[in-house]
């Protein structure tokens, strides 16, 4: 693995977060908050800390400098969804859907209620 020189790769990053807002500075330079949609900080024992900035899709924002770029594959949700659906008790799903206060009488309302219920169960609600 090709590793960058530690001195050349090191940057001072300061994040001041409060509520839903975070101000980010890199080497004393403020970053436009609208240019970053998220950030992740990680640190493994024996390694240097890393800050991953998730850049917003903005045409007028320009970035320069060195970075280690990691491309991650988005996992296929199919296998996890299959495991989740296999664990669903059909009777419990039907009972929950039929007792929902938002169950309507229009066509496909039971299917809509079941899908809504499954979504809520998937999110732990």
């Amino acid at each position: 693995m090709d590793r960058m020189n530690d001195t050349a790769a090191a940057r001072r990053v300061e994040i001041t977060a409060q509520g839903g807002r975070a101000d980010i500075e890199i080497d004393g330079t403020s970053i436009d908050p609208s240019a970053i949609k998220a950030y992740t900080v990680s640190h493994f024992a024996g390694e240097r800390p890393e800050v991953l900035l998730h850049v917003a899709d903005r045409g007028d924002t320009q970035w320069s400098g060195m970075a280690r770029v990691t491309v991650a594959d988005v996992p296929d949700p199919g296998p996890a969804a299959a495991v989740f659906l296999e664990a669903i008790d059909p009777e419990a799903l039907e009972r929950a859907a039929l007792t929902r206060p938002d169950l309507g009488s229009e066509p496909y309302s039971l299917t809509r209620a079941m899908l809504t219920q499954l979504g809520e169960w998937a999110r732990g609600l």
Side-chain angles (χ1 to χ4, degrees):
M1 181 168 138
D2 184 58
R3 299 187 73 99
M4 287 192 279
N5 179 324
D6 280 350
T7 308
R11 299 286 183 255
R12 187 180 71 74
V13 178
E14 182 175 330
I15 301 172
T16 306
Q18 184 173 8
R21 178 178 166 76
D23 294 317
I24 301 173
E25 288 185 6
I26 300 175
D27 289 334
T29 302
S30 293
I31 303 300
D32 178 5
S34 65
I36 304 294
K37 63 181 176 180
Y39 65 90
T40 306
V41 178
S42 62
H43 184 205
F44 295 97
E47 296 182 19
R48 290 197 335 211
E50 290 184 355
V51 176
L52 174 62
L53 301 177
H54 300 266
V55 180
D57 186 21
R58 294 181 45 91
D60 59 345
T61 301
Q62 295 185 4
W63 293 84
S64 63
M66 297 176 63
R68 179 169 50 190
V69 177
T70 303
V71 178
D73 289 330
V74 177
D76 177 11
V83 170
F84 171 75
L85 292 172
E86 288 169 2
I88 299 297
D89 176 359
E91 182 181 344
L93 175 59
E94 186 172 318
R95 192 173 37 250
L98 289 172
T99 59
R100 290 183 63 84
D102 59 350
L103 176 63
S105 58
E106 62 275 354
Y108 314 112
S109 61
L110 180 57
T111 302
R112 187 177 299 112
M114 287 182 166
L115 291 171
T116 302
Q117 186 65 50
L118 287 169
E120 289 178 0
W121 283 348
R123 291 187 301 278
L125 303 175

